[in-house]
Amino acid sequence: MTLELDLTRDPAHLRHGSNIGQPLARRDGVLKVTGRARYAADNHPRGMLFAVLAVASVARGRVASLDIEAAKAHPGVVEVMTSANRPPLADDPDGKPNPFAFRFEALQNDRVRYAGQPIAVVIGETLEAATEGASLLSPRYETEPARIGLDGNEAYIPPVVGMGFPAESRHGDVDAALAGSAKTIEAIYETPPHYHNAMEPHAIVAEWQGDRLVIDTPTQGLVMMQARLAGLFGIPPENILIRSPYLGGGFGGKGLMAGPQVLGILAAKLVGRPVKLVVRREQLYGPFGHRSPTRQTLRLGASAEGRLSAIHHHARIVTSSFEDFYESAAHVTHTLYAAPAIATTYDAVRADTGTPLFVRAPGIAPGSIALESAIDEMAEACGIDPLAFRVQNYAEVEPTTGKPFSSKALRECYTQGAERFGWWDRPLKPRMMRDKDGFLVGWGMGTATFHALMFAGQARAVIRRDGSGVVESGAHDMGQGAWTAFAQIAADSLGLDLDQVTFKAGSSDLPDAGIAGGSAHTATVGTAIHNAGAAVIGKLAELATADRRSPLFGAGNAGVVARAGRLLRRDDESRGESYGEILARAGLSEIEASGSGLPDQAANEHYAMHSHGAVFAEVKVDPDLGQVRVSRMIGAFAAGRIINPKMVRSQLIGGMIWGVSLALHEEAITDRRSGRIMNANLGEYHVPVNADIPAIEAFTVEEVDPHVNPLGIKGVGEIGITGSAGAVANAVWHATGIRVRRFPVRIGDLVGHG
Ligand code: MOS
């Protein structure tokens, strides 16, 4: 609860270790486990009706007929909304008002662009009536052949990939370097489509109050969604209130507004009553984005001693027929290993699929499993331990830009992770270890990395005459613990105890917190809160130091320290007064200030900013049945300042579990004729469950980053997945001697090699 206020320097001289840095329990935890946290679908405004989506069962064509009469004749069905009767929108869903406004389907016509696209909405008095009504629509289609998967269409070079990166980038002459290399490898890796699979389905409760719109829906981007809806419905943003206090997981799938949310609002407009639309589990595999499948070709060259001379990382990716989103799967290669020649290239195909979008560590997760596998293969080719190989190809500066890193404690991650795991007892060759039951045992590792980003966010801080504080920002807690971390930063920024500070978030009428994504929310909103707190303390200090009646008179802002609800003279801490006294004497009931969190452009030009980590995995493989079990995992991460170590550990472990998933479990399987996802449910789309997850340990190493932002926060949301998938895949090779390059690793890849 100390704020060392010195406005002559950066106002960021926050003394660390009061609330920030404490392993506090999640503030919303009890509400969640007792069922008192109200998620979007828990809302029931008076007079509410239920809406159910009907979705296309073909990938491409048009809806030729729907039996609307049959649906409407069903008792309890109130209305059927199709492209023929849906209320008008002020903006075209196929328009592109900004690069983050992705095209979507809101019954604008009868076209079908992918299986799972909404083609009608049935509105009923009960969920059962609407569901039954939707099943009576008996759609008929005029179909065209579906273009599915990585080879379903002609390939082209995408205009840009990821967040606007060039689709081709070359540093040095890769082909010449490869030709001159003592060792070369070339390998092709594939990853399947991934779906977000958050526990909480997308849902919306929409109520029109005249031309005011009140909605409850889970979102990772409140104000962005508010702006998009304002454009679509032709009303001012301030007429739209979006409440999103709790999310049951986001994973990128709730980052952007999606068509079904607009359909819920349109349905409410059509019937003139509040409407709830909860998307059924199998309908989540379509209009909400997914991760593109990838086919990645890695060509690596190295000297006889195992120094990398070249890396070429090429990725084939898929986007939809009507939108451009290109998974930046090769991007990880720009940063991770030092090589004089590095090239990344892409091509893409358009498929009859919902538009792929951001999913858990976009680009980096699938890219990293390919790169980390290839590095392992090269280490093997050179006869060098995979960790030693990585250390000897350590990038001291970002290899493709030459920029120094703003901080990079990856070496410490390698060292400490390896020590805790016992890595150095690892035999170099595969198939050398068995456990007492005869299972093959393998050890593998991977390097984790994720960019340390910031977006733009705002916060407002208030100090009241009673000495309490309020901090507000329309921030999002997807389950990662953001509310708790932000409350910790808020308390420290105000020089107050946590229980004296109210932190408000999760609503669109609060200051714009930007988007909770890109692992940037804590850095962005944390900086905004920190700056808002410093600004309000600065105002208080101005009041006091200019007032002859104050013991702080004449001290100057820089001569004041905020601590435990009091401003104190820096040169004599026995002299000071409480916030309440300062406000009372000034005749104010409260004082407020705003702050923003923005990336520091100058720092970004000078430094490469990334989090790092090292993940070590042990697997056991049944030599007869090919079954793989991860038996232990250790991850060491360097991510700058850690606001709450308890929740950071939980996020890192969560990421590592998704890494296990990528390596061994998850895969959406598409029917090539219909374009339908055949395993669109949590029974058959495998994600790790408790029994799949062994002793996992994650820890952070000390890392001070003076450049990323005033608090030195680099973000932990997504990095856990990035080294982990490769570590597991490499451990499978070490156990079996079989290099599986098409993920997830399947039993069939390993069986019969006993
Ligand atoms: Mo994340 S995929 O940036 O929500």
Side-chain angles (χ1 to χ4, degrees), residues 220 250-253 358-362 478 516-519 718:
Q220 298 170 238
F251 304 131
F358 310 100
V359 181
R360 303 184 279 278
M478 301 180 270
S519 299
E718 291 161 282

Side-chain angles (χ1 to χ4, degrees), residues 185 187 189 298 300 337 367-380 390 445-446 725-730 739-741 743:
I185 62 147
Y189 306 89
L298 269 292
L300 269 57
Y337 298 106
S368 150
I369 196 172
L371 178 62
E372 290 306 296
S373 294
I375 290 286
D376 212 64
E377 296 201 39
M378 182 52 103
E380 178 200 348
R390 284 170 172 83
M445 58 94 44
V728 172
N730 294 335
R739 185 64 72 174
V740 180
R741 301 189 183 90
F743 298 104

